[in-house]
Amino acid sequence: MSFNLSDIFKFPGGVHPPEHKVESTTQPIRTLPLPKKLVLPLRQHIGHIPKILVQVGDHVLKGQLLAEAHGHVSAAVHASTSGKVTAIDEQVIPHPSGLPDLCITLEADGKDEWLKHAPLDYLNMERSELIRRIAESGIVGLGGATFPTHVKLRPDAKHPVSTLILNGAECEPYITCDDLLMRERADEIVHGAMIMQMLLGSTECLIGLEDNKPEAVVAMNAAVAKANFNAKVVVVPTLYPSGDSRRLIALLTGKESPAKGRTTEIGVQCFNVATAQSLYRFIAHGETIVSRIVTLTGNVAQPGNYDALLGTSVRDLLQAAGGIRDNTDDYVMGGPMMGFSLPSVDVPMTKAMNCVIASTPDLFPPPPMEMPCIRCVACADACPVNLQPQELYWYSKSSNLEKAQEYQLFDCIECGCCSYVCPSHIPLVQYYRYAKSETIAQERAKRSADLARIRNDERLARIEREKLERAKKHAERTAKSENSGDNNEKKAAIEAAMARAKEQKETITPQNVENVSANVAAEIAAVDAARVQAAEKPE
Amino acid sequence: MTAALFVMIGLGLFLGLVLGFAALKFKVEGDPLVDQIDAILPQTQCGQCGYPGCKPYATAIAAGDADINQCPPGGEAGVKMLADLLGVEPKPLNAEHGVPKPKSVAVIDENICIGCTLCIQACPVDAILGAAKQMHTVITAECTGCELCVAPCPVDCITMEPLKEDIPHWKWRYPVIPIQVQVAA
């Protein structure tokens, strides 16, 4: 082990909860039997929902693209085994809300037949083309943040990356999937890191591990030496949350990441070790992401790490871990510090699921009653981001969101150190989460109100404009009919015609009335009299 | 004595010029108070307040013609913000103008729509798409849920559907402390 403790920097605060990692590290990674049914949520990453490419009834092969990345930040979803698409509908997904979301259901045909795939000739490929291919791989940050990896690998001329950091700290209690991955597949991780190094153009590579994983440190050092890769395995003291990317960056480089910016602004990019391994599998074998390693621990018969296909239900996972033991009342996804209770044991495994803990009331007793804050500021001492959790608590609790933002609410990483040390057992992080999502909702409402205002203004302007245009047209037409010369000529013509008719009428004289009999003369006189009478009093 | 007098007069003239120039140069177009009030209003443009839109209501509040509790979509929170801005006591919403409802959007039943364009003319934010004798549809993202399109429809094919909570819009709830009931012995 070639490291020197004096090379390690520090971050403020942090806690050291009981690790409970031994239970799940006694056995090597086991592979799960092929489940009959797989449910693949479309939202397994941060960003836009991908676009579905298949229909119900389609037969798909393992690794086939089911939904492609759509938008700037998005990730693809692939079939994790061969079989038939039986449904595309909303199902409950592993999310703290317990709400359903769009999923593709696959019925496995049992053959587990791969789509034809080949290694990528990445050394002779245009970099943009390679990034585009990685975007198709569906790889996201497998440490739990699930940010699409191809976005982080895109070249950024403004912020060149000089240091690549691989995150193998895995600081959260119970979780050991990265530990086992490093012990067993260190070569693949290191090769993945070499590809990342090439893509980013970085000159330095640091691999950070906590000192509670000596086997992994040995394996990683051996793999680095074997690959003749210019990387340094750095062992950091076990202290939660050193696995948070920005805390790890501080530990390894002594640089603090900007709160409102990206870590690339200080020339650092950080990836989880499992992400690097997945990238290697994709580049060197053409395998898209169809499985991940998940830690199954807590109240199960055979705790350990399992290589499971994405979309396997948690029920099937726990079955494979020897089944749950009596008294299990809850299933926690993630660790005890940042994890959440699964809404159902039938939810599918996703790319974010690194650990499932079958919990009992003994394992995670219900929190003691919340007592008033005594202003001891133990939370401020424990906060790894240098925030003032007690102030944030006041303002979040009273829904004074602007004030909470002034105290940098959004810099909180929700690590739970403050809640862990609070002697009054206040669920501080829950208050911060509430305040954060309320702020986001209000900002969203404000944006849509602004949009509505603009649209209403434009509409009123349009109505006004159309009214003016109509009035103008009307005025033009009237003016034309009054002033035009043609019209006067017409009038004169009509008058002339009327005068002619009148003249004619006056000059007209009755014919053949001279030499008529007395009878006829009398008749003519009668008709003339009747005509005069009719003319005198018209109906 | 005269020197002091001239200095004071000169100073007065100079400052007067500066102020006059500033008044022209930094002239504020429109009434800033109306815009501030309008920024608080939810822009539903529903007219429940009795004015033909949010801006006219804001103008009426600024002029002192309307009360601050006439906007149901803004809710009690909106009343409180208006009260803060105007330095008056917040008051409960006036039920005459309606009650707050969960945000909903208009949905046109496209099988029934006859393409009369009456709803398009009623929509204050141009969120309905269609043409005469062509089917109409609502652009959900731009619908404010004002319900103004519901009444004019001659075939009653528009319904208001409350927005369903989905994962991108889901919010963490305010932490509540479970109260334990102790049964008396």
Side-chain angles (χ1 to χ4, degrees):
Chain A
M1 278 183 261
S2 59
F3 70 92
N4 190 349
L5 268 181
S6 63
D7 289 347
I8 309 298
F9 300 90
K10 268 188 176 161
F11 63 86
V15 293
H16 192 166
E19 290 172 27
H20 291 284
K21 293 199 184 232
V22 183
E23 296 92 319
S24 54
T25 49
T26 53
Q27 297 280 330
I29 299 171
R30 283 163 280 184
T31 309
L32 230 60
L34 188 68
K36 283 196 179 68
K37 192 183 89 170
L38 293 158
V39 179
L40 295 155
L42 289 179
R43 221 186 291 270
Q44 296 189 43
H45 56 268
I46 287 178
H48 299 286
I49 195 156
K51 206 163 81 185
I52 302 174
L53 301 174
V54 289
Q55 285 177 334
V56 174
D58 286 2
H59 186 270
V60 292
L61 294 175
K62 183 173 184 169
Q64 188 176 330
L65 193 62
L66 298 182
E68 65 176 355
H70 185 65
H72 193 66
V73 177
S74 183
V77 174
H78 299 82
S80 16
T81 187
S82 58
K84 207 171 90 175
V85 178
T86 54
I88 300 174
D89 57 1
E90 293 208 330
Q91 299 191 40
V92 176
I93 65 162
H95 188 268
S97 66
L99 289 170
D101 201 20
L102 208 55
C103 298
I104 299 176
T105 308
L106 280 185
E107 203 181 81
D109 61 7
K111 292 182 205 149
D112 206 27
E113 186 186 344
W114 265 100
L115 184 78
K116 211 174 142 222
H117 55 282
L120 265 71
D121 184 15
Y122 70 100
L123 290 173
N124 297 319
M125 246 170 152
E126 196 73 34
R127 185 168 297 186
S128 57
E129 172 66 8
L130 190 54
I131 299 281
R132 198 184 61 74
R133 293 294 298 273
I134 296 172
E136 283 172 9
S137 72
I139 299 175
V140 299
L142 295 177
T146 62
F147 188 81
T149 298
H150 68 273
V151 181
K152 283 168 79 175
L153 287 170
R154 274 182 200 152
D156 183 353
K158 229 159 82 191
H159 304 295
V161 173
S162 61
T163 308
L164 166 70
I165 289 183
L166 277 204
N167 187 346
E170 198 166 50
C171 58
E172 177 121 5
Y174 287 92
I175 309 176
T176 57
C177 58
D178 290 349
D179 184 4
L180 266 282
L181 186 81
M182 286 187 286
R183 289 189 204 183
E184 296 186 16
R185 302 177 191 175
D187 290 333
E188 295 188 345
I189 297 171
V190 169
H191 280 107
M194 287 164 82
I195 296 163
M196 286 173 166
Q197 179 100 311
M198 184 212 84
L199 275 167
L200 292 169
S202 53
T203 49
E204 187 187 21
C205 176
L206 301 171
I207 305 171
L209 280 81
E210 279 190 341
D211 60 8
N212 58 0
K213 302 175 197 47
E215 291 97 332
V217 174
V218 172
M220 288 303 287
N221 269 318
V224 167
K226 196 170 138 199
N228 199 16
F229 179 42
N230 178 28
K232 203 165 134 200
V233 177
V234 188
V235 179
V236 299
T238 300
L239 184 70
Y240 180 84
S242 60
D244 173 67
S245 67
R246 290 171 182 230
R247 266 15 79 193
L248 190 67
I249 290 169
L251 281 171
L252 301 188
T253 65
K255 289 181 192 165
E256 192 167 351
S257 312
K260 301 278 180 286
R262 301 219 161 144
T263 59
T264 47
E265 287 172 31
I266 55 166
V268 184
Q269 191 66 284
C270 183
F271 295 92
N272 181 266
V273 283
T275 314
Q277 192 254 352
S278 297
L279 185 68
Y280 166 77
R281 295 297 307 176
F282 177 67
I283 303 278
H285 299 277
E287 287 174 14
T288 53
I289 182 159
V290 292
S291 66
R292 71 155 294 147
I293 314 241
V294 56
T295 307
L296 303 174
T297 183
N299 200 32
V300 291
Q302 297 162 24
N305 284 282
Y306 295 82
D307 195 344
L309 295 177
L310 296 173
T312 310
S313 81
V314 170
R315 193 185 289 279
D316 288 346
L317 288 178
L318 294 167
Q319 208 74 51
I324 50 165
R325 291 195 299 227
D326 293 346
N327 216 13
T328 302
D329 66 338
D330 195 12
Y331 304 92
V332 176
M333 170 172 155
M337 298 296 284
M338 290 186 75
F340 59 89
S341 291
L342 285 173
S344 146
V345 75
D346 289 315
V347 294
M349 190 189 83
T350 58
K351 293 171 189 174
M353 196 180 278
N354 47 10
C355 179
V356 176
I357 310 171
S359 118
T360 64
D362 296 334
L363 206 59
F364 299 127
M369 215 177 97
E370 182 181 332
M371 303 293 281
C373 172
I374 55 168
R375 289 249 179 196
C376 66
V377 294
C379 49
D381 292 338
C383 181
V385 198
N386 269 335
L387 295 175
Q388 298 289 308
Q390 76 285 3
E391 302 286 351
L392 286 174
Y393 162 66
W394 294 123
Y395 296 124
S396 301
K397 192 177 182 182
S398 56
S399 299
N400 193 342
L401 302 176
E402 281 131 61
K403 211 66 182 154
Q405 279 203 71
E406 273 177 37
Y407 279 87
Q408 312 302 340
L409 173 68
F410 279 87
D411 287 357
C412 168
I413 58 169
E414 301 175 23
C415 64
C417 287
C418 49
S419 312
Y420 183 78
V421 298
C422 181
S424 291
H425 314 294
I426 302 170
L428 293 160
V429 176
Q430 289 185 35
Y431 284 101
Y432 309 151
R433 282 175 171 162
Y434 152 75
K436 277 185 184 180
S437 56
E438 198 59 44
T439 310
I440 292 166
Q442 281 188 8
E443 273 168 12
R444 195 180 281 147
K446 196 169 179 317
R447 270 203 302 279
S448 60
D450 288 344
L451 179 73
R453 183 183 298 116
I454 292 168
R455 290 184 73 84
N456 183 243
D457 286 351
E458 303 255 308
R459 176 188 145 87
L460 293 176
R462 192 195 70 224
I463 289 172
E464 193 60 30
R465 195 178 61 232
E466 281 173 356
K467 213 160 119 192
L468 281 176
E469 271 169 15
R470 261 204 308 277
K472 205 172 142 200
K473 242 184 207 162
H474 183 73
E476 266 173 18
R477 213 179 294 139
T478 339
K480 210 172 165 187
S481 58
E482 271 172 8
N483 301 335
S484 79
D486 292 359
N487 221 32
N488 285 348
E489 273 172 30
K490 255 184 215 160
K491 250 184 203 163
I494 291 168
E495 268 163 24
M498 277 167 77
R500 264 201 314 278
K502 207 176 168 189
E503 206 178 317
Q504 248 173 5
K505 206 174 164 189
E506 275 166 10
T507 52
I508 228 161
T509 45
Q511 305 274 318
N512 302 325
V513 287
E514 289 90 24
N515 301 312
V516 290
S517 63
N519 274 350
V520 172
E523 263 177 46
I524 289 171
V527 167
D528 276 349
R531 195 181 283 148
V532 168
Q533 217 173 357
E536 268 173 7
K537 45 174 190 178
E539 282 298 309
Chain B
M1 179 65 196
T2 40
L5 204 67
F6 281 122
V7 165
M8 291 313 284
I9 288 168
L11 213 59
L13 282 173
F14 172 71
L15 290 175
L17 274 173
V18 169
L19 282 174
F21 176 73
L24 288 175
K25 174 92 183 168
F26 304 111
K27 193 176 179 191
V28 179
E29 292 289 339
D31 188 347
L33 184 62
V34 171
D35 287 338
Q36 280 172 21
I37 297 170
D38 196 39
I40 292 171
L41 296 176
Q43 304 302 319
T44 320
Q45 315 292 355
C46 60
Q48 288 183 74
C49 51
Y51 294 87
C54 294
K55 192 83 179 248
Y57 178 44
T59 316
I61 295 177
D65 297 336
D67 216 337
I68 57 169
N69 60 351
Q70 301 181 3
C71 177
E76 300 288 348
V79 176
K80 200 181 160 290
M81 278 165 82
L82 284 174
D84 283 349
L85 175 70
L86 301 170
V88 295
E89 279 297 308
K91 47 175 96 175
L93 275 173
N94 188 346
E96 273 175 35
H97 296 279
V99 285
K101 283 182 229 171
K103 181 153 168 32
S104 23
V105 288
V107 177
I108 293 178
D109 187 338
E110 292 166 357
N111 291 320
I112 304 176
C113 175
I114 53 168
C116 69
T117 75
L118 287 177
C119 58
I120 295 182
Q121 292 162 39
C123 180
V125 289
D126 286 336
I128 303 178
L129 206 63
K133 292 188 182 166
Q134 307 288 322
M135 184 194 61
H136 302 346
T137 196
V138 177
I139 309 169
T140 308
E142 271 146 22
C143 175
T144 63
C146 67
E147 303 186 11
L148 291 179
C149 54
V150 177
C153 180
V155 289
D156 285 340
C157 72
I158 306 180
T159 46
M160 298 305 296
E161 290 189 1
L163 277 181
K164 216 171 61 179
E165 189 174 41
D166 59 358
I167 289 189
H169 295 93
W170 175 76
K171 291 194 288 187
W172 283 94
R173 301 291 188 271
Y174 190 85
V176 283
I177 307 153
I179 297 171
Q180 283 164 3
V181 181
Q182 286 192 336
V183 183

